[in-house]
Amino acid sequence: MINKISIHFLTMFGIGYSKFAPGTIASLITTLCFYLLFKIGYLEIRGLHLIYIIIVIFFLGILVIDKFSSFFKEADAQEIVIDEFVGQNVPLLTLLFIPFNSDTLDEDFTILIILSFILFRFFDIIKPYPINLIDIKMKDGLGVMLDDLVAGIFSAIVIYVIAYLCF
């Protein structure tokens, strides 16, 4: 039972088994969920709780990957997409700290959500320094989770700069 729950956690309930770009699909679903939380007003009330949830998932991901990576062909198997969930949330959570003009909030927020998806996928796929070093040298749970976290941080920095300059 615990094995099934752990595998479901790592694959985001089977998204990781997608034949076409499972990491991109996991990031897209994460982005869509964030957008829905924004639309229903959840982020206005409990947005900071999301930060705590992502921190817990990050550390839980490390532990579960280390324990259950033998269920996959390699340590950073494409089926493991919980790292994309965590990494994608970093630039999305950055949006909670940007002061938007209330007249254009919906439109500006939506544009930056889309941009955060594109930027995260760019940094996660291209893997510039130091992401590439993490990906090459660290093959345990920490490495799997950390390279996506750093890609998310890079994306968050770009998002914040764009928001500062344009909004």
Side-chain angles (χ1 to χ4, degrees):
M1 179 70 165
I2 202 87
N3 291 356
K4 284 186 177 183
I5 292 169
S6 297
I7 300 303
H8 285 311
F9 170 75
L10 293 176
T11 64
M12 284 180 58
F13 301 96
I15 293 169
Y17 293 116
S18 169
K19 294 190 187 295
F20 175 75
T24 299
I25 293 171
S27 293
L28 181 61
I29 289 173
T30 301
T31 304
L32 292 173
C33 289
F34 187 88
Y35 181 74
L36 290 174
L37 290 174
F38 164 69
K39 290 304 268 183
I40 64 172
Y42 179 84
L43 297 177
E44 294 173 14
I45 302 166
R46 294 190 169 87
L48 293 179
H49 292 149
L50 204 50
I51 293 171
Y52 300 123
I53 292 168
I54 299 307
I55 291 169
V56 168
I57 291 174
F58 175 78
F59 287 108
L60 188 60
I62 292 169
L63 295 172
V64 176
I65 289 168
D66 284 342
K67 185 161 174 90
F68 293 95
S69 62
S70 62
F71 283 74
F72 301 97
K73 294 176 189 165
E74 54 190 298
D76 193 1
Q78 71 175 15
E79 294 89 1
I80 299 173
V81 292
I82 196 64
D83 53 331
E84 268 79 20
F85 174 81
V86 169
Q88 181 64 66
N89 268 293
V90 174
L92 292 171
L93 290 169
T94 301
L95 300 177
L96 300 178
F97 301 99
I98 296 172
F100 288 98
N101 178 341
S102 60
D103 297 334
T104 59
L105 171 65
D106 194 41
E107 182 179 309
D108 294 345
F109 202 80
T110 303
I111 289 168
L112 289 176
I113 285 174
I114 294 167
L115 190 56
S116 75
F117 169 75
I118 293 167
L119 285 168
F120 173 71
R121 291 311 302 151
F122 172 78
F123 287 119
D124 190 33
I125 292 167
I126 300 300
K127 296 191 186 315
Y129 180 85
I131 301 169
N132 59 353
L133 279 181
I134 296 167
D135 187 53
I136 292 168
K137 301 223 182 238
M138 299 176 74
K139 295 297 183 186
D140 58 354
L142 178 60
V144 172
M145 297 298 290
L146 190 59
D147 75 320
D148 287 81
L149 181 68
V150 175
I153 291 169
F154 280 23
S155 305
I157 292 168
V158 174
I159 288 288
Y160 198 80
V161 168
I162 289 171
Y164 179 78
L165 294 174
C166 299
F167 299 104

